[in-house]
C-alpha cells in the first residue's frame, strides 16, 4: 500500500474556513475593496497568447527589485508568502533539524517545517503576546536551522523590535531567520536589505494584503544573493502564474491606490481600538490590518451576532493563548463605520456596558 512519509502523516490539517463567506469579510485579513482598478484593467487586456505562454518570472523580478531598492538576484518571486515559507523549509531543513517558531502565529510555518521531517519547537509569546526574544534564544541548539517570525504577527498584530530580530539572526548564523513582513504596509518598519550584514536573514513580503492580490498568489522572498540562488533551485521556474506576473508591475505602479487604502486601515484600526477601550473589551494594540480582542465566554455569541448583521469575523480561540479571542480585519472608512455600528449593537445586546462614556 502506498504510504505518505511519516512526517506528512503526522501533519495537522489546515482548513481555513473559506466556505459560506457572504457578507463583509473581516475574517481573512484580505484587502476588503479589491485591487487597484488599473490592475483590473490590465487583467482584462490579457491575451490568449499571453495565457498560452509559460510565464517569465525574471523580467518581473527586476521590476520588483527596483521597487524594493535591492538587486534582482536578492529576491525570488513566489506563489504567495506561503510558497516562500515552503521553499525555505525545503532548502534548509531536513529530518533531525529543529525549527523554532513563536506561538501563536501563522499556521503555515509549522506545517511547512514539520513536512520536511524537522522537529518544530514552539516558543510561547510572553505576557500580552510580547516577543519572547530571550526564551527563543534559550531554545537554540546546534540543530536549529530555521527561525520564523511574523512581524507584525498574525493573529496578534503585535511586533518584535527590529534590533531584537537582528540580534537573534546574528546569534544563530547556522539557521535561516525568516522575518515574514506580510503586513509591512500597515506597520512601516522593515528589515529589508539587512541581510547585507547578516546573511542568514530573509525577509518575505506579500501582495495579498495591502495590494489586494490574494487570489493571484504572489509574494516575494528577499535575502542574500547566494542563499536566494539555493532557494530558487527548489522552486519551479513557473511557480508564479503569467496573469499574476502581468499584473504585478501595474499594481506596484499604482502606489496612490495602496497608500490611500493603507491610510484608511490605519485610521480604522485606531477607531476600532478606541471602541474596544470604550467598552472595556481587552484587545492587543495592532500594527497590522486587523485587531485581536478577547470576548471570553461571549465569543461565539459575538461572532454569531456580527454575522447576523452581515459581518464576518474570525474565531481565533484555537490558537495558543487566544482562548475567547476574535480577530477582526479592518476595511475602508465606510466599512469601518459599518463594523463599529454592528459592534456597538452586538456588545449592547450581549449586555456589555460602556466603561467610557462617548
Ligand atoms: C503572517 C502571514 N504570512 C503569510 C501569509 C500568507 O500570505 P500569501 O497570501 O502571500 O501566501 C499570511 C496570510 O494570512 C500571513 O498572515
Amino acid at each position: 500500500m502506498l504510504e505518505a512519509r511519516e512526517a506528512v502523516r503526522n501533519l495537522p490539517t489546515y482548513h481555513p474556513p473559506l466556505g459560506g463567506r457572504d457578507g463583509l469579510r473581516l475574517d481573512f485579513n484580505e484587502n476588503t475593496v479589491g485591487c487597484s482598478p488599473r490592475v483590473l484593467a490590465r487583467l482584462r487586456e490579457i491575451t490568449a497568447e499571453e495565457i498560452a505562454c509559460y510565464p517569465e518570472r525574471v523580467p518581473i523580478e527586476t521590476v520588483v527589485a527596483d521597487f524594493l531598492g535591492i538587486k534582482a538576484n536578492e529576491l525570488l518571486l513566489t506563489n504567495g508568502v506561503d510558497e516562500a515559507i515552503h521553499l525555505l523549509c525545503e532548502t534548509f531543513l531536513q529530518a533531525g533539524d529543529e525549527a523554532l517558531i513563536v506561538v501563536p502565529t501563522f499556521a503555515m510555518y509549522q506545517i511547512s517545517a514539520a513536512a520536511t521531517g524537522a522537529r518544530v519547537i514552539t516558543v510561547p509569546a510572553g505576557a500580552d503576546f510580547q516577543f519572547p526574544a530571550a526564551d527563543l534564544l534559550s531554545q537554540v541548539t546546534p540543530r536549529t536551522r530555521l527561525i520564523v517570525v511574523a512581524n507584525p504577527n498574525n493573529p496578534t498584530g503585535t511586533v518584535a523590535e527590529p534590533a531584537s530580530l537582528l540580534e537573534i539572526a546574528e546569534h544563530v548564523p547556522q539557521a535561516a531567520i525568516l522575518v515574514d513582513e506580510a503586513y509591512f504596509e500597515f506597520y512601516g518598519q522593515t528589515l529589508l536589505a539587512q541581510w547585507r550584514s547578516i546573511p542568514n536573514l530573509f525577509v518575505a513580503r506579500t501582495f495579498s494584503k495591502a495590494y489586494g492580490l490574494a487570489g493571484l498568489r504572489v509574494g516575494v522572498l528577499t535575502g542574500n544573493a547566494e542563499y536566494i540562488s539555493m532557494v530558487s533551485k527548489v522552486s519551479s521556474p513557473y511557480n508564479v502564474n503569467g496573469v499574476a506576473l502581468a499584473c504585478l508591475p501595474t499594481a506596484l505602479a499604482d502606489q496612490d491606490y495602496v497608500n490611500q487604502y493603507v491610510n484608511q486601515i490605519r485610521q480604522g484600526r485606531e477607531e476600532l481600538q478606541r471602541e474596544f477601550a470604550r467598552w472595556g473589551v481587552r484587545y492587543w494594540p495592532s500594527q497590522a490590518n486587523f485587531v485581536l480582542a478577547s470576548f471570553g465566554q461571549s465569543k461565539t455569541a459575538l461572532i454569531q451576532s456580527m454575522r447576523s448583521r452581515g459581518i464576518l469575523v474570525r474565531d481565533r480561540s484555537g490558537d495558543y493563548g487566544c482562548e475567547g479571542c476574535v480577530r477582526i480585519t479592518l476595511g475602508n472608512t465606510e466599512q469601518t463605520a459599518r463594523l463599529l455600528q454592528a459592534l456597538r449593537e452586538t456588545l449592547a445586546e450581549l449586555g456589555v456596558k460602556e466603561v467610557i462614556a462617548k
Side-chain angles (χ1 to χ4, degrees):
M1 200 182 89
L2 184 63
E3 221 174 39
R5 285 188 291 114
E6 190 187 351
V8 176
R9 292 200 307 273
N10 293 337
L11 279 184
T13 311
Y14 178 42
H15 275 310
L18 277 167
R21 295 181 67 218
D22 295 331
L24 177 53
R25 294 189 292 271
L26 305 183
D27 52 347
F28 268 77
N29 299 346
E30 294 155 336
N31 180 312
T32 56
V33 294
C35 63
S36 147
R38 282 167 60 183
V39 171
L40 215 52
R42 175 68 187 94
L43 206 56
R44 291 196 172 110
E45 275 171 11
I46 287 180
T47 62
E49 198 184 353
E50 275 180 277
I51 300 284
C53 291
Y54 279 104
E56 254 193 283
R57 192 180 64 204
V58 173
I60 309 304
E61 285 183 331
T62 304
V63 175
V64 177
D66 285 349
F67 173 76
L68 295 175
I70 60 176
K71 299 190 195 108
N73 63 0
E74 292 177 312
L75 68 80
L76 173 69
L77 283 178
T78 57
N79 199 275
V81 169
D82 281 353
E83 194 203 16
I85 298 161
H86 177 70
L87 294 175
L88 210 59
C89 290
E90 288 297 313
T91 308
F92 294 107
L93 289 178
Q94 59 190 346
D97 289 341
E98 291 171 0
L100 294 181
I101 59 172
V102 174
V103 287
T105 196
F106 182 53
M108 291 310 296
Y109 306 149
Q110 176 143 21
I111 293 177
S112 291
T116 65
R119 200 171 138 228
V120 179
I121 295 161
T122 56
V123 181
D128 281 328
F129 301 120
Q130 273 174 35
F131 182 66
D135 289 352
L136 191 68
L137 280 174
S138 75
Q139 294 292 334
V140 169
T141 75
R143 294 183 148 188
T144 307
R145 301 296 318 282
L146 179 73
I147 300 176
V148 189
V149 178
N151 205 38
N153 189 29
N154 176 13
T156 59
T158 51
V159 292
E161 284 303 316
S164 166
L165 294 170
L166 292 176
E167 193 190 322
I168 289 168
E170 263 184 323
H171 256 81
V172 197
Q174 82 277 12
I177 314 296
L178 173 62
V179 178
D180 178 351
E181 297 186 352
Y183 300 98
F184 158 75
E185 291 82 0
F186 310 105
Y187 173 42
Q189 290 203 49
T190 183
L191 292 186
L192 201 74
Q194 297 286 345
W195 61 78
R196 303 236 173 102
S197 48
I198 308 174
N200 54 323
L201 179 76
F202 295 82
V203 173
R205 296 267 185 91
T206 185
F207 298 97
S208 296
K209 310 291 177 184
Y211 288 80
L213 301 180
L216 287 183
R217 311 300 304 131
V218 55
V220 55
L221 179 69
T222 66
N224 167 279
E226 200 181 314
Y227 295 152
I228 288 288
S229 75
M230 287 294 141
V231 180
S232 304
K233 283 185 177 187
V234 183
S235 159
S236 155
Y238 314 123
N239 61 337
V240 182
N241 71 77
V243 177
L245 291 175
C247 292
L248 195 51
T250 312
L252 287 174
D254 198 355
Q255 284 300 307
D256 284 351
Y257 187 81
V258 176
N259 290 335
Q260 59 81 24
Y261 182 70
V262 168
N263 286 340
Q264 292 182 63
I265 298 298
R266 287 179 179 221
Q267 200 181 326
R269 189 169 67 194
E270 293 311 307
E271 288 176 31
L272 178 60
Q273 292 180 162
R274 269 203 304 275
E275 196 68 33
F276 284 145
R278 180 175 295 151
W279 292 86
V281 171
R282 185 167 184 219
Y283 71 93
W284 288 270
S286 168
Q287 297 292 337
N289 66 339
F290 55 83
V291 180
L292 186 74
S294 170
F295 297 94
Q297 303 211 328
S298 306
K299 175 220 44 165
T300 307
L302 176 120
I303 294 170
Q304 280 166 1
S305 172
M306 293 296 279
R307 183 180 267 267
S308 75
R309 289 173 168 80
I311 296 183
L312 309 182
V313 297
R314 186 79 171 268
D315 185 349
R316 297 276 23 158
S317 51
D319 292 41
Y320 176 88
C322 295
E323 209 176 300
C325 287
V326 172
R327 191 191 66 198
I328 304 182
T329 305
L330 277 316
N332 70 6
T333 305
E334 189 196 323
Q335 292 165 334
T336 297
R338 237 183 103 188
L339 163 68
L340 294 183
Q341 180 61 28
L343 188 65
R344 285 179 200 125
E345 289 171 15
T346 292
L347 291 172
E349 189 181 280
L350 296 176
V352 179
K353 299 262 181 298
E354 283 183 67
V355 293
I356 304 170
K358 264 187 225 163

